[in-house]
Amino acid sequence: SEEALATTTLELLGGAFNRVHPRSDHFRIGSALMLLLAEGDLLPTIVQRIGAIFLIYEMYRGEPIAQNPFAPFLAELVQVDGNGSSSISPQERVLIAQLVVGPARDIFKRSCQQLASVDSSTPVP
């Protein structure tokens, strides 16, 4: 549920995901999440989008980011157009940057709602 997603830490979200979904399903699930993120109105809340972004990262967390088949999509999401606008929120851009660069361990102790409320002018601690 939306409420559970909002209050569950990324660590617990990733653990629950990995318990339920075998590695053999990760690419199909990641592809579905990518399509949902690409169509902005299918995941209308920032909490949902942060959850989806995290799961795309989580499925391949133990590997170098270059081996994540969704890395080009994540890179595309953070791009801004000529007008300086982006298809995602500043908080989502900060999260993707943190995950790609190598996240601080305490980021996984935060919930999607906490990450959605982060001041996007400073990096996620």
Side-chain angles (χ1 to χ4, degrees), residues 4-14 54 108-112 114:
L5 178 62
T7 59
T8 302
T9 66
L10 296 183
E11 182 175 62
L12 292 174
L13 178 63
F54 172 71
F108 300 114
K109 303 286 185 200
R110 292 180 169 216
S111 69
C112 293
Q114 289 171 322

Side-chain angles (χ1 to χ4, degrees), residues 88-110:
I88 62 174
S89 70
Q91 291 86 349
E92 292 165 275
R93 293 182 79 226
V94 168
L95 174 64
I96 292 170
Q98 286 285 318
L99 293 174
V100 169
V101 170
R105 294 218 33 97
D106 65 341
I107 194 172
F108 300 114
K109 303 286 185 200
R110 292 180 169 216

Side-chain angles (χ1 to χ4, degrees), residues 5-122:
L5 178 62
T7 59
T8 302
T9 66
L10 296 183
E11 182 175 62
L12 292 174
L13 178 63
F17 176 86
N18 286 317
R19 277 191 303 280
V20 173
H21 301 288
R23 183 134 173 91
S24 60
D25 290 344
H26 286 186
F27 185 78
R28 282 187 299 235
I29 294 168
S31 296
L33 290 172
M34 183 180 78
L35 290 173
L36 290 170
L37 283 164
E39 295 296 324
D41 58 342
L42 296 178
L43 293 176
T45 70
I46 187 171
V47 168
Q48 292 170 336
R49 292 189 307 272
I50 285 175
I53 289 166
F54 172 71
L55 289 175
I56 286 174
Y57 165 80
E58 173 66 20
M59 288 184 275
Y60 298 92
R61 182 178 2 171
E63 301 174 22
I65 192 68
Q67 291 184 348
N68 183 325
F70 303 103
F73 174 72
L74 293 175
E76 184 179 311
L77 280 179
V78 298
Q79 298 299 315
V80 293
D81 64 20
N83 298 326
S85 63
S86 174
S87 63
I88 62 174
S89 70
Q91 291 86 349
E92 292 165 275
R93 293 182 79 226
V94 168
L95 174 64
I96 292 170
Q98 286 285 318
L99 293 174
V100 169
V101 170
R105 294 218 33 97
D106 65 341
I107 194 172
F108 300 114
K109 303 286 185 200
R110 292 180 169 216
S111 69
C112 293
Q113 183 62 53
Q114 289 171 322
L115 292 171
S117 301
V118 163
D119 175 5
S120 61
S121 64
T122 59

